[in-house]
Amino acid sequence: MRISFVGKGGSGKSTLAALFTQYASRQGQNVVAIDADLNIHLPRLLGFEKPAAETYLSEPSVALAIKDRLRGTNARIGKPETFRKSTPPGSGSHLILVDDPNDPIIRSYSTKKDETRLLVVGTYAEEDIGASCYHNNLAILENVLSHAADDKALVVADMVAGTDAFASTLHAQFDLTILVVEPTWRGIEVYKDYERLCRQAGCLDTLKVVGNKIRTEEERAFVTKHIPAEMLLGCLGQSPYLETQDRNWGPIEFAQLEPENALVIRTIYDALKRLSYDPQKRLEKLWDLHRTYVSQRFITERFGDLTTQIDPTFDFTQETTKQRACNTTH
Ligand SMILES: Nc1ncnc2c1ncn2[C@@H]1O[C@H](COP(=O)(O)OP(=O)(O)OP(=O)(O)O)[C@@H](O)[C@H]1O
Ligand SMILES: [Mg+2]
């Protein structure tokens, strides 16, 4: 299963993603955390050494190697450059078995601490400054997620601020998206934007909201007044523990969190666990997004018809089982 944490800058995405990662790991889950923000904060919060830039997924040589591995012998992807951000897996593609430490991509690019693994998408390379956009970096994350078999693991993504996910396939690649909202008008506006975009994209069922940094009963009432009860999983208060750790620039530890805040993290976990794993539904959604993406003129003029990359015979669950059996026998 997969969960992402989104919201406005500074709302608490990284903090909640880190706490959730630690809680899920304590529950015995095999967790792969992904830092998908250009400001890389998740390693420090989780107490990891900062991973080497050579392992960042968006490093050009890493991204190329990953795409090469994922493409495998998929005859529907002709030249490597036709492997676009929305290209779905098809016959011959390699999936990423995220629970398997020997999976080539997990082994090469993740770092491990205790039972948790971490992947970092990466920041701008020097030559990108002033000439690039973070969407380019996130494209490799789209490929990784679309090929990730996460039936035996939990993928937790700390996303970049804002509504970027709607300019890509990322909004449709998670079972649950947690929008972190502060008790301000700006926070509510971000919720309204997100809710509308999710509704238009047909993925409102995957969106839930968590209030954060609530200091008073008035602030709590403000959030509950503006966020419908069925959307709101709970609210974390302004946490003295998190404030102290932040001042010390230190890692955070779920076990030290105030019990009432810890309860909200548990509620998010329970909400995710209630969902059923349906990779085929996710894949079919990706097919729709792929059709839309590759029908744009700049793609058709350069590459022709890439809708042929959709392999209607591809059964994600069957492929996962097949590739897992193959990995264990080799
Ligand atoms: N419940 C809380 N109580 C107290 N402080 C908090 C709480 N949640 C987050 N913070 C603090 O708020 C600040 C922003 O948190 P965080 O970095 O997690 O936000 P973010 O949404 O990931 O930000 P960015 O958009 O920069 O990535 C940090 O100083 C963090 O310690
Ligand atoms: Mg952050």
Side-chain angles (χ1 to χ4, degrees), residues 8-15 37 161 212-213 237-239 242 246:
K8 128 178 148 41
S11 57
K13 302 176 290 295
S14 302
T15 304
D37 196 353
N212 191 28
K213 306 190 202 177
Q238 176 72 20
S239 156
L242 293 175
D246 194 59

Side-chain angles (χ1 to χ4, degrees), residues 6-137:
V6 300
K8 128 178 148 41
S11 57
K13 302 176 290 295
S14 302
T15 304
L16 267 65
L19 291 167
F20 183 88
T21 296
Q22 293 176 338
Y23 178 74
S25 187
R26 284 163 63 116
Q27 299 311 301
Q29 296 285 334
N30 185 325
V31 186
V32 177
I34 304 182
D35 193 324
D37 196 353
L38 72 171
N39 299 310
I40 301 165
H41 290 312
L42 206 53
R44 173 182 61 81
L45 287 170
L46 288 170
F48 279 72
E49 296 287 318
K50 194 169 175 188
E54 299 77 64
T55 64
Y56 292 173
L57 305 183
S58 64
E59 272 294 300
S61 60
V62 173
L64 265 181
I66 291 177
K67 284 167 106 171
D68 202 44
R69 161 78 191 164
L70 299 181
R71 187 158 51 97
T73 57
N74 185 344
R76 290 174 181 272
I77 308 173
K79 299 194 197 94
E81 58 270 28
T82 63
F83 194 156
R84 309 308 300 173
K85 61 184 191 170
S86 59
T87 296
S91 179
S93 297
H94 283 123
L95 298 178
I96 305 173
L97 303 172
V98 287
D99 58 290
D100 182 353
N102 290 319
D103 178 277
I105 289 172
I106 299 294
R107 189 181 59 225
S108 306
Y109 307 117
S110 72
T111 42
K112 185 168 183 259
K113 179 176 169 282
D114 305 324
E115 292 311 307
T116 300
R117 288 186 175 273
L118 175 71
L119 291 168
V120 174
V121 173
T123 186
Y124 293 113
E126 205 171 318
E127 63 269 23
D128 294 338
I129 293 171
S132 186
C133 139
Y134 199 60
H135 288 150
N136 297 343
N137 293 44

Side-chain angles (χ1 to χ4, degrees), residues 179 181 187-196 199 204 207-211 220-235:
L179 176 67
V181 168
I188 303 299
E189 290 297 326
V190 171
Y191 161 71
K192 287 185 180 159
D193 272 354
Y194 230 91
E195 196 264 357
R196 176 178 51 80
R199 196 158 10 89
L204 191 57
L207 182 69
K208 291 282 179 242
V209 180
V210 168
R220 188 177 297 272
F222 178 79
V223 171
T224 50
K225 180 171 166 204
H226 294 287
I227 311 281
E230 69 276 12
M231 295 298 289
L232 186 64
L233 288 180
C235 292

Side-chain angles (χ1 to χ4, degrees), residues 135-159:
H135 288 150
N136 297 343
N137 293 44
L138 288 172
I140 191 64
L141 177 63
E142 295 182 63
N143 297 142
V144 164
L145 289 170
S146 62
H147 290 67
D150 51 344
D151 52 335
K152 296 187 180 198
L154 259 185
V155 175
V156 182
D158 172 20
M159 303 299 284

